[in-house]
């Protein structure tokens, strides 16, 4: 567990990126009591989800939602539940979340 400041140094990303990661479910931020500072769980899985380059064929959130025919929020829920793979690209102009939608299609009777 690391504070936001410690996580910035460990992961090499900014404070805004960490808070966005918590909000989007990319990172797990915990508070021991209401109003207490958030602490982030940093493990190998979190480090593996940070990438300097966009993997080939992985899409931005809006493009992934369009490709799957579902809302962006539904895509984020699927990422949080582990149904879709994601990576956070942390360098250059292509910063942000990328999602692997290859082989994942929603059928007519699937619950999004």
């Amino acid at each position: 567990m690391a504070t936001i400041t410690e996580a910035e140094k460990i992961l090499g990303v900014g404070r805004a990126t960490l808070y966005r990661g918590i909000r989007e479910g990319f990172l797990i931020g915990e508070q021991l009591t209401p109003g207490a500072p958030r602490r982030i769980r940093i493990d190998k899985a979190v480090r593996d989800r940070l990438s300097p380059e966009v993997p080939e064929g992985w899409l931005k959130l809006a493009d992934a939602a369009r490709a799957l025919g579902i809302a962006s929020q539904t895509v984020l829920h699927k990422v949080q539940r582990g149904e879709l793979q994601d990576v956070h690209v942390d360098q250059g102009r292509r910063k942000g979340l990328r999602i692997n939608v290859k082989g994942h299609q929603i059928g007519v009777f699937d619950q999004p």
Side-chain angles (χ1 to χ4, degrees), residues 13-87:
V13 297
R15 186 173 296 262
T17 301
L18 293 173
Y19 281 115
R20 184 174 49 250
I22 293 169
R23 187 175 60 247
E24 293 177 354
F26 179 79
L27 296 171
I28 298 172
E30 300 174 358
Q31 287 181 304
L32 297 177
T33 59
R38 291 190 184 271
R39 299 186 60 80
I40 297 176
R41 186 177 309 274
I42 300 174
D43 55 11
K44 185 176 179 341
V46 168
R47 291 173 195 249
D48 289 346
R49 291 173 71 190
L50 293 172
S51 173
E53 297 180 13
V54 177
E56 189 174 330
W58 291 44
L59 305 174
K60 292 181 180 180
L61 177 60
D63 296 335
R66 201 172 305 116
L68 294 172
I70 56 178
S72 296
Q73 191 64 42
T74 305
V75 173
L76 288 175
H77 286 287
K78 288 183 172 290
V79 166
Q80 289 172 343
R81 290 191 305 257
E83 296 173 22
L84 290 173
Q85 292 178 312
D86 68 317
V87 68

